[in-house]
Amino acid sequence: MERTLSIIKPDAVAKGVIGKILDRFESNGLRIAATKKIQLSREDAEKFYAVHADRPFFNDLVDFMISGPVVVTVLEGENAMAKNRELMGATNPKEAAPGTIRADFAENIDANAVHGSDSLENAAIEIAFFFAEREIA
Ligand code: ATP
Ligand code: MG
């Protein structure tokens, strides 16, 4: 059993597709172990995406992530990390496979609907960033 972190980004929350995206997870064998809607502060977003601090798109990414509320979710299941990445589709929605979340709900590489942890190590760090252990059931 693995755990991974998903974020439904401000574009998808604003579009009203929280339920549709959570359904993709549940319909594909991922259990929702914890979830909440929150507004990230600039400091939260900078800390969360610190690995990208030197990339040219960092400021735009932070601005976007704080442009509205997000939904953070702990997903649990067999191969949860890789399965979530598969359901998400490629970073650039134009390259995302048909039927993936980004192909169906994302506009472009900046507003790409969802985040998912990219390794088990990062999943543990990202889950601890948003949730206390007693909030995960
Ligand atoms: P995320 O970390 O959000 O799940 P990802 O793992 O598919 O996405 P990363 O390489 O970690 O992609 O990039 C983090 C985010 O930064 C992307 O989701 C995207 O919004 C933005 N990003 C990545 N590459 C670019 C780029 N070349 N131009 C603009 N934005 C980018
Ligand atoms: Mg990433």
Side-chain angles (χ1 to χ4, degrees), residues 9 49 52 57 61 85 88 91 102 109-110 112 115-116:
K9 295 185 179 183
Y49 275 122
H52 296 309
F57 56 81
L61 176 59
R85 297 287 302 188
M88 288 164 59
T91 307
R102 281 168 166 164
I109 194 165
D110 301 294
N112 62 1
H115 162 83

Side-chain angles (χ1 to χ4, degrees), residues 7 39-53 58-67 70 129-130:
I7 303 179
Q39 171 66 51
L40 298 180
S41 67
R42 182 168 295 276
E43 196 190 347
D44 290 331
E46 285 175 352
K47 231 167 121 182
F48 186 79
Y49 275 122
V51 288
H52 296 309
F58 181 68
N59 285 331
D60 288 341
L61 176 59
V62 169
D63 284 342
F64 168 64
M65 290 300 287
I66 66 173
S67 65
V70 298
F129 187 83
F130 287 111

Side-chain angles (χ1 to χ4, degrees), residues 4-23 25 32 34-40 48-49 64-65 68-75 84 113-116 130-131:
T4 192
L5 186 90
S6 157
I7 303 179
I8 301 177
K9 295 185 179 183
D11 58 319
V13 172
K15 256 191 211 167
V17 293
I18 295 170
K20 286 183 177 158
I21 292 175
L22 293 180
D23 179 59
F25 302 141
I32 294 167
T35 192
K36 60 187 172 189
K37 187 182 192 185
I38 56 173
Q39 171 66 51
L40 298 180
F48 186 79
Y49 275 122
F64 168 64
M65 290 300 287
V70 298
V71 173
V72 289
T73 299
V74 178
L75 298 172
N84 179 41
V114 280
H115 162 83
F130 287 111
F131 293 95

Side-chain angles (χ1 to χ4, degrees), residues 16 26 40 61 76 94 97 104 127 133 135:
E26 292 192 313
L40 298 180
L61 176 59
E76 196 172 67
K94 289 181 182 72
D104 290 346
I127 289 168
E133 191 55 39
E135 293 178 302

